[in-house]
Amino acid sequence: MKLERFSLRGKTAMVTGAAGLLGREHCEALGEAGASVVATDLDAGACESLARELERFDVAAVGIAADITDKASVERLKTRALDRFGAIDVLVNNAAVDDKFDPGADLAASRFENYSLERWRRSLDVNVTGTFLCCQVLGAEMARRGAGAIINVASTYGVVAPDQALYRGADGEQRFFKSAAYPTSKGAVLALSRFLAAYWGAAGVRVNALSPGGVEAGQDAHFVESYARRTPLGRMARRDEYRGAIIFLASDASSYLTGANLVVDGGWTIW
């Protein structure tokens, strides 16, 4: 296989949740591969700043604020992106809500029996409805053109259940419980990806999911050690270790791949 198949030169890629930890990495991966990039998130300033940073790859980039849970906002995002670049070739649905609890203080609130309906609805609204709306509005434009690649970012917790023992402190006491909302929403993202792969296959739109494992990003040492012991490769991911997967799924290197879930987790889900 020629390496040119991994090139995204001449393509336009959009990343939601672009200002987040992995969103920035996805944008940089796509820009480095030659794509023009539309970086979108709630914060206009953060999007615009990221777009300026991406220009170091000698590609065009634009930051556009949008609320992916609002269809009108997603429609405006599409219009602005098309006005600037003429087409959207790659869509990375990366935006998501992952519950954060104060260790110890929020133990009771994190229990499934006490988990608030407000938190539940917020997670599903962003993680599922937001992905649905972006696929509906932006994916439909790809289908109209007869080509495109959609990458829906899921999670290992969409494949297997959370190991609640990970969220215990060094003293063995439970600090909080991982909620049901995040795994449920990411499982739904996987199901939606399979649905759309079948629905839009004949229209030339490929739809795949990427399920990343945990990324080391300033967690306490005990958690990092516990996660590493639970992982065959013996460590958490570095934040840049999903770049290759994004480029593969976005490019012609994966031209015969659709409806798949690419699990990149250091082996987490194999046992």
Side-chain angles (χ1 to χ4, degrees):
M1 180 184 293
K2 294 182 177 179
L3 291 179
E4 287 82 10
R5 293 184 67 82
F6 290 91
S7 173
L8 294 171
R9 189 68 59 182
K11 304 287 188 181
T12 297
M14 179 181 292
V15 179
T16 70
L21 178 72
L22 290 185
R24 297 179 65 87
E25 295 292 334
H26 301 335
C27 287
E28 291 194 3
L30 295 162
E32 195 169 17
S36 299
V37 179
V38 179
T40 184
D41 211 312
L42 288 170
D43 187 330
C47 293
E48 292 162 3
S49 176
L50 176 56
R52 288 191 294 271
E53 293 176 26
L54 294 173
E55 291 174 356
R56 72 182 187 275
F57 297 116
D58 194 29
V59 297
V62 62
I64 303 174
D67 178 357
I68 63 167
T69 68
D70 180 344
K71 187 172 184 177
S73 183
V74 178
E75 291 278 9
R76 289 192 294 271
L77 172 65
K78 180 190 78 170
T79 298
R80 290 188 60 185
L82 293 178
D83 286 347
R84 175 66 186 274
F85 295 111
I88 302 164
D89 304 289
V90 177
L91 169 63
V92 181
N93 282 310
N94 169 75
V97 169
D98 188 4
D99 272 335
K100 302 298 179 188
F101 288 99
D102 182 14
D106 289 339
L107 176 61
S110 71
R111 289 183 179 276
F112 176 77
E113 295 85 349
N114 303 327
Y115 190 75
S116 74
L117 185 58
E118 180 182 8
R119 281 181 177 267
W120 173 265
R121 285 175 170 162
R122 177 59 178 164
S123 290
L124 267 63
D125 198 27
V126 176
N127 301 0
V128 183
T129 303
T131 300
F132 162 80
L133 286 174
C134 288
C135 287
Q136 185 181 62
V137 173
L138 302 164
E141 172 62 21
M142 293 178 177
R144 185 190 66 78
R145 290 178 51 241
I150 297 174
I151 304 166
N152 292 326
V153 179
S155 169
T156 52
Y157 281 168
V159 179
V160 297
D163 180 355
Q164 300 293 356
L166 275 178
Y167 309 104
R168 295 173 186 160
D171 58 3
E173 293 295 317
Q174 195 77 35
R175 294 295 189 254
F176 64 90
F177 292 93
K178 190 71 176 180
S179 79
Y182 188 73
T184 299
S185 66
K186 291 304 186 178
V189 167
L190 294 176
L192 177 62
S193 300
R194 290 190 292 268
F195 170 86
L196 291 174
Y199 185 78
W200 275 330
V205 180
R206 297 187 299 108
V207 185
N208 292 292
L210 170 64
S211 287
V215 179
E216 187 168 358
Q219 299 94 336
D220 70 78
H222 178 71
F223 177 85
V224 174
E225 291 168 6
S226 298
Y227 194 101
R229 285 195 301 271
R230 178 71 172 70
T231 308
L233 287 186
R235 62 179 177 83
M236 297 187 76
R238 297 186 302 271
R239 65 183 63 193
D240 64 351
E241 289 192 294
Y242 301 107
R243 291 190 178 197
I246 287 289
I247 293 170
F248 171 66
L249 293 173
S251 70
D252 288 342
S254 61
S255 59
Y256 196 56
L257 187 70
T258 197
N261 177 29
L262 181 57
V263 181
V264 185
D265 66 351
W268 172 272
T269 55
I270 65 175
W271 57 19

